[in-house]
Amino acid sequence: MTLAHETISENRSFGGVQGVYRHQSQATGTAMTFAIYLPPQARHHRVPVLWYLSGLTCTHENAMTKAGAQEWAAEAGIAVIFPDTSPRGEGVADDEAYDLGQGAGFYVDATQKPWAPHFRMWHYITHELPELVFGNFALEREAQGITGHSMGGHGALTIAMTFPERYRSVSAFAPIANPSESDWGRKQLSAYLGEDRAAWAGHDSTLLMREKGYSGEVLIDQGSKDQFLDLLKPEALAHAMAERRQPGVFRMQEGYDHSYFFVQSFMGDHIQWHAERLG
């Protein structure tokens, strides 16, 4: 079954098409906007897919316009999907703080009031949106990778370790690596999932790395001058990878901060990483 969607815009980019679309989501009970970059190869055959999950305060648009992914994706023949980070709109719960509520879905399915009715971003990203895009675009379901930045890096890692048979490649830019032990995590996980820390474990990449790891290789890039290092806790994930002897690379990039200038600088590396593993 294909799900209905409407086209907001489509623009030529590096021989492919950068599109923005909207649909009515059953998961969130709201209209959701997402973007897809289709490389020129998609005119002739189905292409591999890279999911890009964005960070706090972002919409689909931030990475679409700032990450510099399109040129690299066109060269590699990979589609890139940019979902939104949360449900939005009238009647959707929100908070005055930037790091909770709209723009801060944390890629979980909320179980607590007032978030539970709409904040079901885990189901949206892993089930509903895939059904829509694979039913409507020239994408190869058997060749999926996932990446993300900050809160999105947290989402990418936890989703990939939960569904390793689905995601053949994973990477992250400056992920929130140990949210159970960070103010960027304890606040949100308790609000969305309640105070039982056992419910948090499946949404903490450090804990998942210790428990199960990932079936392939993992690529992590982290800026050494990131202004949020104390909140991200990259050392916890690096230690968990070392303890597990997880195949992959954890790179501390000298002088880089948390901004999209950092993401732009290494986007080509990440797309090539995924291209090699997605065929």
Side-chain angles (χ1 to χ4, degrees):
M1 178 182 70
T2 60
L3 301 179
H5 67 283
E6 62 175 305
T7 300
I8 297 175
S9 63
E10 289 184 332
N11 299 95
R12 180 71 66 184
S13 177
F14 295 99
V17 176
Q18 177 62 68
V20 179
Y21 309 94
R22 183 186 293 119
H23 72 111
Q24 191 65 33
S25 167
Q26 294 180 357
T28 68
T30 66
M32 295 292 290
T33 302
F34 65 96
I36 300 182
Y37 176 70
L38 289 174
Q41 294 87 341
R43 294 197 299 267
H44 309 293
H45 55 77
R46 293 186 178 273
V47 295
V49 179
L50 178 60
W51 295 84
Y52 182 102
L53 305 186
S54 293
L56 288 167
T57 75
C58 290
T59 69
H60 69 280
E61 188 174 16
N62 298 75
M64 181 185 77
T65 59
K66 295 181 180 180
Q70 289 84 355
E71 181 175 9
W72 298 106
E75 182 177 328
I78 289 179
V80 185
I81 302 177
F82 306 96
D84 202 349
T85 56
S86 77
R88 301 176 191 273
E90 186 177 354
V92 177
D94 201 7
D95 190 90
E96 292 182 357
Y98 73 94
D99 58 354
L100 186 67
Q102 296 186 38
F106 257 73
Y107 304 103
V108 303
D109 285 347
T111 59
Q112 306 299 302
K113 295 180 180 180
W115 314 105
H118 300 291
F119 281 74
R120 302 187 64 237
M121 290 304 294
W122 180 272
H123 185 85
Y124 178 72
I125 295 296
T126 63
H127 291 88
E128 185 177 38
L129 188 56
E131 288 307 306
L132 188 156
V133 296
F134 287 114
N136 287 282
F137 298 91
L139 307 175
E140 178 53 65
R141 188 185 290 267
E142 302 306 316
Q144 297 184 63
I146 191 166
T147 188
H149 173 228
S150 194
M151 178 184 74
H154 137 82
L157 292 169
T158 56
I159 288 171
M161 283 188 276
T162 303
F163 301 103
E165 72 288 348
R166 181 186 306 178
Y167 301 97
R168 288 167 43 184
S169 59
V170 62
S171 70
F173 299 87
I176 301 174
N178 193 194
S180 298
E181 303 300 331
S182 168
D183 289 341
W184 268 0
R186 286 184 296 231
K187 171 184 176 180
Q188 295 84 357
L189 294 177
S190 62
Y192 294 141
L193 302 177
E195 297 298 337
D196 182 2
R197 290 174 69 95
W200 304 1
H203 300 286
D204 186 311
S205 57
T206 293
L207 299 182
L208 285 171
M209 182 61 67
R210 290 173 182 161
E211 176 189 354
K212 61 177 61 176
Y214 177 68
S215 56
E217 297 177 293
V218 176
L219 172 62
I220 310 290
D221 272 317
Q222 171 65 62
S224 70
K225 298 297 184 183
D226 194 313
Q227 58 270 45
F228 302 115
L229 279 174
D230 289 344
L231 293 166
L232 300 171
K233 297 193 175 298
E235 66 282 353
L237 180 57
H239 291 158
M241 290 176 64
E243 291 167 2
R244 190 174 184 82
R245 296 181 174 85
Q246 170 68 46
V249 181
F250 194 113
R251 307 191 299 194
M252 187 65 71
Q253 301 289 3
E254 177 62 31
Y256 285 89
D257 61 15
H258 199 69
S259 70
Y260 265 99
F261 295 108
F262 160 63
V263 175
Q264 289 173 9
S265 298
F266 300 101
M267 179 57 72
D269 288 359
H270 282 245
I271 288 182
Q272 183 61 36
W273 171 275
H274 290 276
E276 291 172 354
R277 287 154 182 80
L278 298 176

